[in-house]
Amino acid sequence: MKLVQHLLDRKGRGIISVAAEASVLDAIKTMAEKSIGSLLVMDGDELKGIVTERDYARKVIVKGRSSESTAVGEIMSSDVTTTTPTETVNQCMTTMTEKKIRHLPVLEGDRVVGLISIGDLVQAIISDQQEEIQHLEQYISGQ
């Protein structure tokens, strides 16, 4: 079974983040430019929260707030569920499903080393299944 560290090795460990003081408009622009659905909210190297497109829709658009004058810190989720590089893909999938979240920051100690999404997990599971099918086909055909 694949571990989170395998996913990070494949996709990279780059972090795209925003400060809590930044405007929601700036955060949404960054997400659009990078084609991502969330940003980590950081104060230096310290994880303060996460802001997602869902936060924007529910806490800004639906409530008629201004994207320009609302700070990321006002809408971010500060109780962030995280994972570690040694967690398995299946453990992360279970966590995300139970908590109804789509992104997991990856921490080594207190240091953020990456971010994985539900899409990353789905790709890993599909890859594992394809490998298993290939091995079974080779076994059945005697190769």
Side-chain angles (χ1 to χ4, degrees), residues 55-69:
D55 291 324
Y56 177 66
R58 292 180 179 177
K59 299 173 185 174
V60 177
I61 298 297
V62 170
K63 295 191 176 188
R65 296 172 80 178
S66 166
S67 301
E68 291 179 7
S69 63

Side-chain angles (χ1 to χ4, degrees), residues 74-121:
E74 295 176 49
I75 69 162
M76 72 180 186
S77 299
S78 56
D79 184 22
V80 182
T81 301
T82 62
T83 189
T84 66
T86 57
E87 289 262 346
T88 67
V89 167
N90 282 347
Q91 288 170 319
C92 290
M93 184 65 82
T94 299
T95 298
M96 286 181 159
T97 302
E98 287 174 354
K99 298 203 176 235
K100 296 183 172 121
I101 57 175
R102 298 176 184 167
H103 305 90
L104 278 176
V106 183
L107 291 134
E108 282 183 339
D110 290 336
R111 189 171 62 96
V112 178
V113 296
L115 178 71
I116 59 172
S117 70
I118 194 81
D120 298 327
L121 298 178

